[in-house]
Amino acid sequence: MSHDSENKDKKGSNIEPWKKETILGLIITGLIVLTILISIIFAWSSFKELKPNEWGDFLAGSIGVLALTWLIIGYFLQSKELSQNTKALIAQEKELSKQTTEIKAQAKATRDMITFNENRYQDEKNEKLTKAKGIFVYDNSKEIDTTTMRYIIRNEGGEISNVHVLCENKDIRIMGGASFLNKKDIFEITLTIKDSNQIINSALQSDRYRLPIDIDICYIDCFYNTHKENHQIDLSWLLFRRNRIKK
């Protein structure tokens, strides 16, 4: 109902100026015609003696006045129409500007939502990848002989497979691994000294007989991503002590 009333008001506002100008023009036209008729009636004795060309001049002058009157009225009507069209264009421009602002706001909200979803997806993905990694804890170590140590390693991370251990130290031979590990599963690695003299001499330079060894634990997570993690373990001080006494 409110839209209908607004439309009626708009139509009324558009028609009313035309009615006013038209009524005014008709009144002026009626007055001019009435004046001409009265002049002819009261001066008929003079008018009846006019020649055809004089009647033409008289009628031309009278009609010229009417034409000038309607020309002026048309000018004002056109001015009002142009003013209304200008107002309509300004209102349309404001509406378009408002729509443009709303579209920009919607586009920004959409971009923000997409960015939020992408970040959330990436965070969830990173969290899953982090949980899928292996977390290795050294449970126990045991000296097998004067050149060999055995380490028990527990997995506190996700399910992993194809676990194997590498060591770049050419004086150390390393063995061990597992085909598959769940959380809390353990596996063993064995470190054997190839050149005991060089390793022992390096360890004996420390009063605590400590020799850290860098190893790489390689595995594949449940998403089939390959990992290679560097860890450091210490060879037993008893091993070096015994070798020192043996020497």
Side-chain angles (χ1 to χ4, degrees):
M1 293 294 291
S2 59
H3 292 293
D4 295 338
S5 61
E6 289 179 0
N7 292 333
K8 289 180 180 179
D9 293 339
K10 290 181 179 179
K11 290 180 180 179
S13 61
N14 291 334
I15 294 173
E16 186 176 358
W18 290 84
K19 284 185 176 181
K20 289 181 179 179
E21 302 296 340
T22 303
I23 292 172
L24 179 62
L26 292 174
I27 291 173
I28 295 174
T29 301
L31 291 175
I32 294 174
V33 172
L34 182 62
T35 302
I36 294 171
L37 292 176
I38 292 174
S39 299
I40 293 174
I41 292 172
F42 283 96
W44 176 248
S45 57
S46 300
F47 276 99
K48 66 180 180 179
E49 296 179 358
L50 293 177
K51 298 179 180 179
N53 62 327
E54 293 176 342
W55 274 104
D57 294 337
F58 172 75
L59 293 175
S62 301
I63 294 174
V65 174
L66 291 175
L68 179 62
T69 301
W70 282 105
L71 179 64
I72 296 172
I73 293 173
Y75 170 78
F76 285 108
L77 288 175
Q78 189 175 14
S79 298
K80 288 188 177 182
E81 184 178 0
L82 290 174
S83 177
Q84 289 177 354
N85 291 337
T86 302
K87 290 179 181 179
L89 290 174
I90 293 174
Q92 186 177 7
E93 182 182 2
K94 291 181 179 179
E95 186 66 23
L96 290 175
S97 177
K98 182 180 178 181
Q99 291 178 359
T100 303
T101 303
E102 291 176 354
I103 291 173
K104 288 182 179 179
Q106 291 176 358
K108 183 179 182 301
T110 303
R111 288 195 301 270
D112 293 342
M113 181 60 68
I114 292 174
T115 303
F116 173 78
N117 290 333
E118 288 178 348
N119 292 336
R120 185 175 65 178
Y121 170 77
Q122 191 63 40
D123 291 341
E124 292 177 353
K125 181 179 178 181
N126 292 337
E127 184 179 358
K128 290 179 180 179
L129 292 176
T130 301
K131 290 182 179 179
K133 290 183 178 181
I135 301 175
F136 304 105
V137 178
Y138 295 88
D139 268 354
N140 194 8
S141 62
K142 183 179 180 180
E143 184 180 343
I144 304 301
D145 54 39
T146 57
T147 59
T148 305
M149 290 289 299
R150 182 180 66 189
Y151 297 86
I152 298 175
I153 302 175
R154 184 176 73 254
N155 175 36
E156 291 290 347
E159 298 178 355
I160 57 177
S161 60
N162 195 23
V163 182
H164 57 283
V165 185
L166 304 174
C167 181
E168 295 182 357
N169 193 328
K170 297 180 180 180
D171 298 319
I172 300 293
R173 182 174 71 248
I174 188 167
M175 298 178 61
S179 59
F180 184 82
L181 291 175
N182 280 316
K183 188 173 184 179
K184 301 295 184 181
D185 287 349
I186 62 173
F187 68 101
E188 295 182 358
I189 61 172
T190 302
L191 271 72
T192 302
I193 301 174
K194 294 180 181 179
D195 187 352
S196 60
N197 290 329
Q198 183 175 351
I199 296 293
I200 291 169
N201 290 333
S202 299
L204 292 178
Q205 294 177 3
S206 171
D207 294 337
R208 302 172 67 181
Y209 306 112
R210 180 180 180 274
L211 182 63
I213 301 296
D214 289 322
I215 64 172
D216 294 320
I217 301 179
C218 306
Y219 63 92
I220 300 175
D221 63 22
C222 60
F223 296 105
Y224 302 101
N225 296 316
T226 303
H227 299 269
K228 182 178 181 181
E229 299 179 0
N230 181 263
H231 294 262
Q232 192 176 79
I233 60 176
D234 290 337
L235 292 178
S236 172
W237 68 275
L238 288 174
L239 184 146
F240 302 116
R241 182 179 178 84
R242 289 180 182 179
N243 276 277
R244 184 182 185 185
I245 293 173
K246 183 179 179 181
K247 289 181 66 179

